Amino acid sequence: MAQDVKTAEQILQEKGGELYSVGEDATILEALRLMVENKVGSTLVEEGSRPVGIYTERDLMRNTIDPSFDPGTARIGDYMTRGLKFAPHTDNAYELMDKFLGLRLRHLLIDRDGQFIGLLSIGDVIRSALQERTRELEALQLVVQWEYHEEWKPRR
């Protein structure tokens, strides 16, 4: 049954693999507008065309408690999270969950042949894994129900 577990690439295909990004010199407010317009919780930060960081809703939460923080003037390159982590497009949902938990991440870039093809959140991956587990349980339940009815004999 586990052979049906979706890969990172398949999860991206269902979700849509659009990557949203801003340049390092963009303001936090510009990045937030992009995130709101596209209904996403994060944006990549690029130096040229190469992703060098990520900015998330959680980063905004941390930044806003600083009284000197002004999203209209703050340069995203100064506030982004560096050290992007990625996984190969062939990792399945369970392998991805291990990475999210082991690395304590909420977002993970997906790589295929040296190119980033999308960004998955932990929610995307948990949803996929739960869907697979539900399919497995439903299949097992059918087997158990069938065996019960096949083996059932009236008492005499």
Side-chain angles (χ1 to χ4, degrees):
M1 280 186 234
Q3 68 270 16
D4 294 339
V5 179
K6 290 186 174 94
T7 65
E9 186 165 19
Q10 291 168 324
I11 297 169
L12 276 173
Q13 287 169 349
E14 287 180 3
K15 167 192 171 174
E18 183 97 22
L19 286 171
Y20 299 102
S21 62
V22 296
E24 281 186 298
D25 291 326
T27 66
I28 301 285
L29 193 56
E30 290 168 333
L32 293 174
R33 282 190 181 115
L34 176 72
M35 291 163 62
V36 169
E37 286 169 12
N38 294 288
K39 298 181 175 114
V40 294
S42 65
T43 183
L44 292 174
V45 182
E46 293 184 337
E47 180 182 280
S49 62
R50 184 177 58 94
V52 293
I54 188 169
Y55 192 81
T56 68
E57 296 163 323
R58 186 164 278 237
D59 293 320
L60 177 65
M61 181 181 66
R62 269 193 291 274
N63 299 146
T64 53
I65 62 171
D66 178 355
S68 66
F69 177 73
D70 176 5
T73 60
R75 184 179 160 282
I76 200 164
D78 296 332
Y79 290 90
M80 69 183 176
T81 301
R82 294 184 179 274
L84 293 171
K85 304 291 185 202
F86 61 90
H89 69 287
T90 55
D91 274 5
N92 69 39
Y94 301 132
E95 292 166 325
L96 291 167
M97 282 181 16
D98 283 345
K99 287 179 178 158
F100 277 115
L101 293 171
L103 297 170
R104 299 182 53 88
L105 300 172
R106 292 177 178 266
H107 299 88
L108 195 57
L109 278 166
I110 304 304
D111 174 80
R112 180 181 42 192
D113 303 323
Q115 293 289 104
F116 294 127
I117 61 170
L119 183 73
L120 290 175
S121 72
I122 191 168
D124 299 327
V125 173
I126 288 173
R127 182 181 310 107
S128 180
L130 286 174
Q131 288 170 342
E132 176 56 27
R133 284 289 188 230
T134 300
R135 281 191 294 274
E136 289 175 3
L137 288 172
E138 287 169 350
L140 286 172
Q141 190 173 19
L142 286 173
V143 168
V144 170
Q145 287 176 347
W146 182 253
E147 286 176 4
Y148 171 80
H149 291 293
E150 287 292 305
E151 299 296 322
W152 183 82
K153 295 183 173 41
R155 292 183 183 189
R156 295 186 195 255

